Amino acid sequence: MQYLKKIIIANIITAIIVAILSHFVPALRVASIGDFCFEMVIILWGIAVISWRGGAFMRRANEMKAIRKKRQLPLVDGEQEKATQINNKGGVDYTSELVLFASGVPAALVCIISALVHTYA
C-alpha cells in the first residue's frame, strides 16, 4: 500500500512537471494524451535509470571497495568487528528505482493504447 502511494505521488508530480514544461517550452507542447503520457514515461524511467545502483559498473566498484577494505588494517581492536558487521549486512536496496519504474508503467500503457486507437480508428 505504501508503494501505491509513492507511485501515485510520482505520477502526480511528473504530470505537473510535464504540464509546466509543455506550457513554457514550445518544443515540448503536447497534442494528445499519448504525447503527454510519453513525456511522463521518459521522465520517470529516465530518473529511474539515472538513480539505479545496479549493473556491472556498480558491482565492479563494490568489489574494489571490498578489496580495499580487506587490505586496510584496523587501527583499533573493535574496528574489525564493526567492519565485518558492515560487510555482512546484505545487498543493495532497489525500492526507489523499482517504484519509479512501476510509476511509468501506467503511463506507458496509456501511451501504447492511445497509439493503437489512433492507428486503427
Side-chain angles (χ1 to χ4, degrees):
M1 194 64 175
Q2 69 181 9
Y3 297 127
L4 184 62
K5 290 178 186 177
K6 290 179 182 179
I7 289 171
I8 291 171
I9 290 171
N11 275 312
I12 290 172
I13 290 172
T14 308
I16 291 170
I17 290 171
V18 169
I20 290 171
L21 285 175
S22 68
H23 183 70
F24 290 111
V25 180
L28 297 176
R29 295 213 191 274
V30 292
S32 67
I33 190 73
D35 294 343
F36 190 83
C37 289
F38 180 74
E39 290 181 16
M40 284 181 61
V41 169
I42 294 298
I43 290 172
L44 287 168
W45 286 354
I47 293 171
V49 165
I50 290 170
S51 65
W52 186 53
R53 294 180 294 261
F57 175 75
M58 289 306 294
R59 281 194 299 270
R60 238 179 283 123
N62 290 337
E63 289 170 4
M64 293 304 294
K65 189 185 297 183
I67 290 171
R68 281 194 302 270
K69 277 190 177 264
K70 287 180 183 176
R71 289 183 184 169
Q72 294 173 350
L73 295 175
L75 300 175
V76 183
D77 293 333
E79 291 295 318
Q80 182 62 39
E81 290 178 29
K82 196 184 300 181
T84 307
Q85 289 172 355
I86 290 171
N87 287 338
N88 293 335
K89 277 194 175 179
V92 182
D93 183 24
Y94 295 108
T95 353
S96 60
E97 293 88 357
L98 290 175
V99 166
L100 286 172
F101 177 77
S103 297
V105 171
L109 291 175
V110 170
C111 184
I112 291 169
I113 291 170
S114 172
L116 290 174
V117 166
H118 181 70
T119 302
Y120 295 112

